Amino acid sequence: MPLLDAIKGVACLLIVGHHVVRYGPLADGAAPLAPWLFGWLSQHGRLAVQVFLVIAGFLSAASLAPAGLLRSDRPAMRALWQRYGRLVMPYLAALICTVLVAAAVRPWLDDEAVPGAPSLPQLIAHGLLLQDLLGYEALSAGVWYVAIDFQLFALAIAVFWLAGLIQRHGNLTAAGGRWLGAALVAILVLGSLLVFNRQASLDITAIYFFGAYGLGMLGFWIGRATRGLAWRSAVALLGTVGLAALALEWRSRIAVALVTALVIVVADRRGWLAPKHWPAAAMPLLRLGRISYSLFLIHFSVILAVNAVVSRWAPRTAWGDALGLLGAVALSLGAATVLYARVEQRPATWRAPLVMFGALVLCGMLTAL
């Protein structure tokens, strides 16, 4: 689906821009050159995460339950382990880089963006994607999203498992079971949008973000509607639910998620998600979308390293700091390309995540010493 790759590419650049202008002394030095741009990225760049949440929900519905019930060829626990492996392989590799870079620059980059020396429980919590639930300081920017993505995937599996259980014990037909799965997701979406997403204390849990994730899931099933009237009615209902949530309390993050879901639904209906031909000029954007997860993971360590080097050894001028920031983005793209090719694309066996987990703990303990 190249269109989704293109959307992810743009969203990831916004997130990188958000972190570039928020972390390190170079951002403060370069900000006077474009105060509006720096201010906008600092305040609103993070909203691009909602795009990833919607797309993740869309793809999880396609993978787990294209017909509304858990696929028989994807047992729940196997699917959960496969998702963990796919997520944590590049995640652990990026965390190792961040831990090493932070240890290297900590003595001479006096900035709050530099993570402190990690503890053993903190490292284990990060490896298990439990750092926020257990209250540990994040070792890198954006690691909260990886934990939330895994929670959302696990919650989706639980919903489909429950729908299958009710179908079997309630003697429902296959069609009834499929409708039940979609209905349970819709109920969770309503609960999240109207109640849980309005509680800031829940932003470390999947239920807080399930509104955006579930909009993507519902969008996938709406795209499977064969009758035009059913499709239009479902789109109208989806939009009404989103607008009702915004009328209850305006949240920019939900507005972005709603627009993203509606755009994907329309694009799916018109056959734009997987067009046969893309112009050559769009190829770099598609490649950026394919490496967007690796870029999301690795760019923080690059930002730390560039800020440390430039602020220590280069002349401090506004234009010099701006060039440093552009260099950080370029180097992040290069590092993401390597991480994608060497780690993310490799098959996630049961052994590889365990080895990476051990490497993270070992590196973390050595740097703490």
Side-chain angles (χ1 to χ4, degrees), residues 70-125:
L70 195 64
R71 285 168 44 181
S72 59
D73 61 340
R74 292 208 68 185
M77 294 309 298
R78 181 187 300 174
L80 194 61
W81 170 250
Q82 288 174 342
R83 185 60 179 174
Y84 175 79
R86 291 286 296 170
L87 282 174
V88 302
M89 283 294 292
Y91 162 82
L92 292 173
L95 272 186
I96 291 171
C97 291
T98 303
V99 165
L100 295 175
V101 169
V105 306
R106 196 176 296 122
W108 41 283
L109 181 61
D110 185 16
D111 193 274
E112 62 181 8
V114 182
S119 65
L120 178 59
Q122 185 182 16
L123 292 165
I124 294 174

Side-chain angles (χ1 to χ4, degrees), residues 42-210:
S42 177
Q43 292 297 319
H44 304 296
R46 58 190 172 87
L47 293 176
V49 169
Q50 302 300 317
V51 175
F52 281 101
L53 288 169
V54 173
I55 292 177
F58 183 92
L59 296 177
S60 72
S63 172
L64 288 173
L69 285 175
L70 195 64
R71 285 168 44 181
S72 59
D73 61 340
R74 292 208 68 185
M77 294 309 298
R78 181 187 300 174
L80 194 61
W81 170 250
Q82 288 174 342
R83 185 60 179 174
Y84 175 79
R86 291 286 296 170
L87 282 174
V88 302
M89 283 294 292
Y91 162 82
L92 292 173
L95 272 186
I96 291 171
C97 291
T98 303
V99 165
L100 295 175
V101 169
V105 306
R106 196 176 296 122
W108 41 283
L109 181 61
D110 185 16
D111 193 274
E112 62 181 8
V114 182
S119 65
L120 178 59
Q122 185 182 16
L123 292 165
I124 294 174
H126 274 76
L128 296 175
L129 303 177
L130 296 174
Q131 66 276 3
D132 294 318
L133 292 175
L134 297 179
Y136 289 105
E137 179 187 1
L139 294 175
S140 180
V143 293
W144 66 269
Y145 175 83
V146 185
I148 289 297
D149 184 287
F150 186 65
Q151 286 186 41
L152 287 166
F153 192 82
L155 182 57
I157 287 178
V159 169
F160 296 135
W161 176 84
L162 178 61
L165 185 68
I166 295 174
Q167 179 202 21
R168 290 190 297 272
H169 291 276
N171 295 320
L172 296 179
T173 63
R178 290 194 293 270
W179 278 104
L180 178 61
L184 290 177
V185 168
I187 290 171
L188 274 180
V189 168
L190 283 172
S192 178
L193 293 178
L194 301 179
V195 181
F196 304 116
N197 187 258
R198 299 168 61 205
Q199 310 298 321
S201 60
L202 296 177
D203 67 354
I204 59 173
T205 65
I207 194 65
Y208 180 90
F209 295 95
F210 198 85

Side-chain angles (χ1 to χ4, degrees), residues 334-347:
T337 301
V338 174
L339 182 61
Y340 175 77
R342 298 293 180 88
V343 180
E344 186 180 348
Q345 274 199 309
R346 291 193 173 188

